[in-house]
Structure formats: C-alpha cells, structure tokens
Amino acid sequence: MTKRPADPANGSAPAARQVPMRDFSRSLPMSLLRAREAVMRQFRPKLREYGLTEQQWRILRALAAIEAAEVTELARTAFLLGPSLSRILRDLEARNLIERKTAKADQRRSMVSISKEGVKLMASIAPSSEAIYAEITRRFGVRKLAELQEMLGQLELCLASVDASDEITDDA
Amino acid sequence: MTKRPADPANGSAPAARQVPMRDFSRSLPMSLLRAREAVMRQFRPKLREYGLTEQQWRILRALAAIEAAEVTELARTAFLLGPSLSRILRDLEARNLIERKTAKADQRRSMVSISKEGVKLMASIAPSSEAIYAEITRRFGVRKLAELQEMLGQLELCLASVDASDEITDDA
DNA sequence: CGCATTCACTTAACATGTTAAGTATCTTCG
DNA sequence: CGAAGATACTTAACATGTTAAGTGAATGCG
C-alpha cells in the first residue's frame, strides 16, 4: 500500500517484439531519474516546511555562494532554463528573498543577489540540509559517494563532447 | 566571453556565512540531474522527430513490454505520477497510440494497452534509440556503465529503506 | 441491506520544463 | 549617424511535476 518494492515482476516475457530493447526499467535515464528522486525525497519535506521548492532552493544556494550574478550566469549555475528562472526570480523578489538591479554598464543585464532575509532563510535551513546530506553520505558510504560523483561527472563529460559535433550533422 | 569559468574567483569572502555548505554544483542531486540531462539530450531530438515527449516514450516503452496494464501499475513502471499519466494517456489515446478498456471484474480499473499504430511507431523509433544507447555505452564504457547502474541502484535502495520506516511510524 | 470507508482514477490548480516569439539594449559597420 | 544584427532577458503557450480535491465503484461491517 505504501510502497511495494516496485520491482518489475513484469520483466517476464513479452520480448517477442520486433526490436527487443533493453528492459526499460534498467535504462540509464530511468536509473538516474529514480536515483535522483530517491535523494530529493529526503530533502523535499524540509524545504517544503520553509515554503521553498527545489528550484527556489537551488537558486538561493547559488546566490549565497556567489553574492551576485547576472541572470544568465545564474541559470547556468542553478541549471535552469531562462524562462523558468525568470518566473522564479519574479516570485522570489516578491517574497523579498532576492534583490535585483540593472547593471550600469549594460542596461540589458540585471544583477541578482540574495537579500538579508534570504540569507536568514538559508541559515535556517542549511543545518537540516547538511544533516540530511550527511545521513545520505553515511548510508551510502563516503567512498562510494565520491566514486559515484566521479562517474557521473565523467558521463556528463563524455556526452557533452558529442553535442557539439551533432549540431552540424542533422541531415543524414 | 561565452562562459567564464564561473569558479569562485569570488570565493574571496562570503565563506564567512554561518554554515558553509558544500559547493552547490557538486551536490549529489545536481550531479544526477546534470548527468541525466546529458543523457537525455542525446535522445530528445530523435523522439521529437516522431512527435513524442520523453514521458510519452516512457509510457509506450513500458506498454510494449507488458502488453496491458492498469493505470496504477503503469504509473509505477513508467515512474510517473497519476495525474501526469492521466493527462498523457488521454492524449496518447486521442492519437490512437494506445487503447483502454475498463476491466470487467472491477469497473474502477482500466486496462491500458498499446495499439497497432503504437507498435508501429515504436518499431520506427527503436532502432535509432538503441543506436544512441549503444553509442553512449561505447563512449562511457560497458564496464563502467554497468558499475554506474549498480551504484545508482544501491543508492536508491539504501534511501528507500529510510522512507519506509517513516511511513510506518505514523502512529507513535 | 445500508452506509461509511477504501480504492482507482480523474480534475483542478499552481509551479516548473521547454520551445518559440517578443522587447529592449548594445554592437557593428557602412 | 543609423539601420542590421547580436545579446540579455521576458512573455507566451503548451506539456509535465506535484499536491489536493473530486468522482464513481468496490468493500467492510453493523
């Protein structure tokens, strides 16, 4: 009722299709998705308690680390697309958690920074967040966690190089 | 000009916060998110070419593997929440890629299955999909990919047990 | 039997992901 | 200078993620 192991007891038979395909539940994207969900499930309750979504938290964390940033730079750091970031910044600004001011040199750019209130909020949440992270690390193992991160980084890297080349050859 | 290293050359000061926190970009959730995005970036163009989103593709793949399933079971398999699945099924049904019929024994349940057209579409895409997957495997390494999947599974497992415990102890 | 509860699914409402188009500003170059 | 193009965002529109509420059909139990 709460959560069956959810394991594919369905991996049984019907491979008789044209192209077999890997067992869907063991595809890399699914593995990554589920792993991430398992991790985030640990954090979300605490964030929710403070009225923050995962993305808002990402933005505040990024801002707390770099003091001020242009929107584009922030998007890259928090791994959000421009439009999402635009909306979220609008809301965070309305809640007085961030501040913006257009750059003097270039009126198009706007510098975003975390507000005093934002810092205070961060300070309230950070201990819990770190505790959760520590617990995850403990459960999974420090060594293994480092290994995993290393592999994830390598995966990202070895695929990133592909994108560049394939943006030219879309005809075949 | 395009992308400043974005490294904390600004790390000058703000470490003087209350709780330091790990470098945000190296947090496990971010690593998982970026890795998954790197992988999906390889697939999305091909899916888009066939007018499918990532989630629609997940559903079709799941259905192709199990022939027919109840909505709830499908949600678990495709790792989607009920409401999302409901909407997507409505759309896939409108496109005649799936079929539904309510179960005789229990009028609440509806059995979902992939249609002939759906199978045909799958057959069109599967080869490309497999080719992309093969290329990813080749680049990253078969061995390493298996290791990564193994670790992701373990991570999921060691965190899942946490959830369970807190879902049972709601009486105390 | 009858009614409360549970169950399977859908709708609703709001936030985000994603692509395309729009707007204002800056840059380039004739 | 001034118009074309590039840049930095923002808006718009649609699909999905996510939580809560709704609906109709089974179940349990008096």
Side-chain angles (χ1 to χ4, degrees), chain B residues 74-126:
Chain B
L74 187 55
R76 186 164 45 77
T77 306
F79 210 71
L80 293 169
L81 294 180
S84 293
L85 184 54
S86 239
R87 279 178 307 214
I88 300 174
L89 287 180
R90 168 166 49 68
D91 298 348
L92 289 179
E93 189 175 23
R95 286 168 66 181
N96 293 315
L97 295 175
I98 65 162
E99 289 158 0
R100 322 162 84 161
K101 54 177 190 245
T102 51
K104 295 153 192 62
D106 188 338
Q107 297 289 82
R108 293 170 305 182
R109 294 170 149 80
S110 81
M111 302 302 292
V112 185
S113 58
I114 190 168
S115 70
K116 283 201 187 66
E117 225 181 302
V119 171
K120 255 174 44 182
L121 181 58
M122 286 283 298
S124 307
I125 305 180

Side-chain angles (χ1 to χ4, degrees), chain B residues 22-34:
Chain B
R22 276 154 297 95
D23 177 0
F24 156 64
S25 66
R26 284 185 196 97
S27 74
L28 182 55
M30 280 300 284
S31 294
L32 290 165
L33 182 57
R34 286 200 304 236

Side-chain angles (χ1 to χ4, degrees), chain A residues 18-169:
Chain A
Q18 309 229 22
V19 180
M21 299 208 79
R22 276 152 297 95
D23 177 2
F24 157 63
S25 67
R26 283 183 195 98
S27 74
L28 183 54
M30 280 301 283
S31 295
L32 290 165
L33 182 57
R34 287 200 303 236
R36 185 177 139 81
E37 179 53 30
V39 173
M40 284 314 300
R41 206 196 318 280
Q42 315 298 315
F43 288 98
R44 265 192 273 267
K46 184 57 67 176
L47 294 181
R48 191 173 170 70
E49 192 177 302
Y50 286 88
L52 288 180
T53 65
E54 182 191 329
Q55 292 81 0
Q56 293 169 340
W57 174 241
R58 285 221 298 274
I59 292 171
L60 289 183
R61 276 192 72 178
L63 284 178
I66 61 184
E67 293 289 351
E70 300 171 10
V71 173
T72 301
E73 184 189 355
L74 186 55
R76 188 164 43 75
T77 305
F79 210 70
L80 293 170
L81 293 180
S84 293
L85 184 54
S86 239
R87 280 178 307 214
I88 301 174
L89 288 180
R90 167 165 50 68
D91 299 347
L92 289 178
E93 188 174 25
R95 287 168 65 181
N96 292 316
L97 295 176
I98 65 161
E99 289 160 1
R100 321 163 84 161
K101 55 177 190 242
T102 50
K104 295 152 191 63
D106 188 337
Q107 297 288 83
R108 293 170 305 181
R109 293 170 150 81
S110 82
M111 302 302 292
V112 184
S113 58
I114 191 169
S115 70
K116 283 201 186 67
E117 224 180 304
V119 171
K120 254 174 44 181
L121 181 58
M122 286 282 298
S124 307
I125 306 181
S128 303
S129 169
E130 286 300 305
I132 294 170
Y133 202 91
E135 172 65 10
I136 293 173
T137 304
R138 191 186 66 72
R139 282 183 176 263
F140 190 59
V142 185
R143 177 70 53 87
K144 272 173 71 176
L145 182 55
E147 270 181 61
L148 176 55
Q149 301 251 40
E150 171 64 17
M151 294 186 84
L152 291 172
Q154 287 177 12
L155 175 60
E156 198 183 339
L157 213 72
C158 87
L159 295 183
S161 54
V162 181
D163 304 336
S165 69
D166 106 86
E167 259 160 31
I168 301 173
T169 61

